[in-house]
Amino acid sequence: IFIRYIMRKFKKEIIIKNVTIGNNHPIAIQSMTNTKTSNIDDTVKQIKVLENNGCDIIRVAITNEKDALSIKEIKKQISIPIVADIHFDYKLAILSIQNGADKIRINPGNIGSKDNLLKIINVAKEYNIPIRIGVNSGSVEKEYLEKYNGPTINAMIDSLDSHIRFFEENNFFNLVLSIKTTNLNDTIEVNKILNEKYDYPLHIGLTESGTRTSGTVKSSYVLGTLLNLNIGDTIRVSLTSDPLDEIFVAKEILAMTNHLNKPTLISCPTCGRTSYKMMPIVNEVEKYLNTINKKITVAVMGCVVNGPGEAKHADIGIAGGIRKGVLFKKGEIIKTIPEEDIVKELINEIEKM
Ligand code: SF4
């Protein structure tokens, strides 16, 4: 359990199995599997890795009946809530709920008739699960496109507003909202407006944000800006990469904006003085630190000459020498370690702290 600092606008509490979002609850980290959902073994395996690294809510794509039926078995093997992601087919939404989905994500604009949407609402009410309604530039109805001359921020908000009204008129208030665009500043602006206008929790993220590098930069800018304004109740960093990277980046963004307590890893950029194979070591240390929630600063430095001194503000650190390294605390060298044992020794010391 990670401790997060929150001072956000009042939001309705929405319960997704064992995770509550909204009013002053920790900002939940989401990711989405990229396995075929009907491949239960692979899907569970991926979810477990994500869960162990800090994923709070997992979303799976429901593309056919087999996917929807698989939710039942997947659920038995994981502990975090599972969200069914459905496009176009209201029957798959209903089947997913009946098979245990803890929440569904639909885009009402592509579900078809209001009758079909009402059928989903009624089953969600019966099973008492929330629905995230999402709108993006591609799903805005013709009337709003014409009114605003394209899928502008106002067009998307009007579209979402019409869906919210339909849910509320049918006595359904168990909602999470999202509007995603590929334009960074539009995403910031639209979420500011949604945050003011509604008391439903917001799911924030960018759509099609790109690769690990570009997607991380864009998500840090957008989600960092919003979280600094205390906007957002659950986040997903979308990357064309391993979903685990989404969790790592999401945690860094939450930590950077003071919404999550996690270890801080510092490392030098390396230079001609670097005298050991530092990159695999720093990756290994980062991987380990992602599994713990101690509020400590850990340094991985390239050389013994300057490393401990440059990183003296770190609680603990390692610096490399030739085929060996040193372990230091607050800049003071504690011991010398053979290169092959350096990560193991560092982890041992951190465990004791
Ligand atoms: Fe170079 Fe050493 Fe500084 Fe790293 S710690 S940048 S290796 S001088």
Side-chain angles (χ1 to χ4, degrees):
I1 297 166
F2 295 96
I3 301 160
R4 290 147 198 198
Y5 305 105
I6 301 125
M7 289 188 320
R8 307 200 300 279
K9 181 186 171 237
F10 169 79
K11 295 281 173 185
K12 195 173 154 46
E13 287 185 347
I14 297 292
I15 299 168
I16 309 148
K17 192 187 168 187
N18 50 358
V19 173
T20 305
I21 60 169
N23 191 31
N24 269 354
H25 286 278
I27 296 166
I29 297 173
Q30 304 202 21
S31 184
M32 193 166 174
T33 51
N34 57 13
T35 53
K36 296 278 175 227
T37 304
S38 55
N39 182 339
I40 295 173
D41 287 350
D42 281 3
T43 304
V44 167
K45 207 165 138 197
Q46 191 171 59
I47 296 172
K48 282 189 168 296
V49 172
L50 298 172
E51 189 177 313
N52 289 338
N53 282 278
C55 179
D56 298 308
I57 298 170
I58 190 68
R59 183 153 51 109
V60 297
I62 304 299
T63 59
N64 53 40
E65 278 191 18
K66 216 171 156 207
D67 286 341
L69 295 171
S70 302
I71 294 174
K72 194 176 238 165
E73 188 51 43
I74 294 168
K75 243 184 102 118
K76 286 185 199 155
Q77 300 183 45
I78 62 169
S79 34
I80 54 175
I82 185 165
V83 181
D85 187 88
I86 296 118
H87 285 273
F88 308 113
D89 192 338
Y90 80 97
K91 287 187 191 146
L92 290 181
I94 291 173
L95 197 60
S96 298
I97 300 171
Q98 290 167 337
N99 279 278
D102 299 302
K103 175 185 167 202
I104 61 164
R105 182 264 170 182
I106 55 169
N107 185 331
N110 69 27
I111 283 295
S113 71
K114 293 281 188 213
D115 276 357
N116 292 344
L117 193 53
L118 189 55
K119 284 177 192 151
I120 298 176
I121 292 174
N122 287 336
V123 181
K125 258 193 232 167
E126 185 189 334
Y127 284 76
N128 195 24
I129 63 142
I131 299 179
R132 167 157 74 95
I133 49 177
V135 165
N136 56 48
S137 46
S139 72
V140 177
E141 292 77 6
K142 210 168 151 225
E143 60 176 300
Y144 304 115
L145 291 175
E146 282 171 6
K147 183 174 170 193
Y148 293 103
N149 217 1
T152 60
I153 288 178
N154 285 331
M156 287 188 280
I157 289 175
D158 275 13
S159 169
L160 182 67
D161 198 65
S162 71
H163 299 314
I164 294 170
R165 269 186 280 120
F166 184 77
F167 278 79
E168 290 179 341
E169 278 159 15
N170 287 288
N171 292 316
F172 191 91
F173 305 93
N174 206 358
L175 292 173
V176 179
L177 311 178
S178 72
I179 294 185
K180 292 186 182 181
T181 84
T182 47
N183 180 295
L184 310 190
N185 290 322
D186 281 358
T187 304
I188 293 171
E189 280 318 303
V190 85
N191 277 292
K192 281 186 190 169
I193 298 169
L194 292 185
N195 190 55
E196 280 309 306
K197 200 170 158 79
Y198 302 105
D199 288 338
Y200 293 112
L202 296 185
H203 169 112
I204 58 171
L206 274 176
T207 186
E208 293 133 33
S209 67
T211 58
R212 190 162 68 157
T213 305
S214 69
T216 297
V217 173
K218 291 181 201 167
S219 298
S220 306
Y221 169 62
V222 172
L223 301 183
T225 303
L226 289 169
L227 291 165
N228 252 340
L229 297 167
N230 290 315
I231 296 173
D233 301 280
T234 175
I235 68 168
R236 186 207 174 183
V237 171
S238 303
L239 299 176
T240 314
S241 187
D242 186 325
L244 190 53
D245 289 328
E246 300 190 347
I247 302 300
F248 292 159
V249 175
K251 284 166 71 178
E252 288 299 328
I253 296 172
L254 286 176
M256 181 177 85
T257 50
N258 287 332
H259 291 284
L260 171 66
N261 250 351
K262 73 182 280 296
T264 302
L265 174 64
I266 56 170
S267 58
C268 76
T270 72
C271 72
R273 292 182 196 86
T274 312
S275 32
Y276 71 150
K277 289 199 193 88
M278 184 171 134
M279 304 241 179
I281 287 177
V282 80
N283 289 336
E284 217 182 315
V285 173
E286 184 175 48
K287 214 169 146 195
Y288 161 72
L289 292 178
N290 267 306
T291 64
I292 64 168
N293 62 353
K294 289 183 180 169
K295 184 89 181 129
I296 52 168
T297 300
V298 179
V300 177
M301 306 298 279
C303 72
V304 178
V305 189
N306 291 334
E310 282 182 22
K312 63 171 180 280
H313 59 289
D315 298 300
I316 187 164
I318 49 175
I322 298 167
R323 285 187 294 283
K324 61 183 190 226
V326 295
L327 186 82
F328 60 89
K329 285 186 177 172
K330 300 275 181 198
E332 293 292 321
I333 294 176
I334 306 293
K335 59 174 140 175
T336 304
I337 310 157
E339 190 176 334
E340 60 275 18
D341 293 335
I342 205 161
V343 176
K344 198 173 73 191
E345 283 284 335
L346 176 70
I347 292 174
N348 278 346
E349 284 298 321
I350 294 173
E351 295 288 318
K352 285 189 224 153
M353 287 167 85

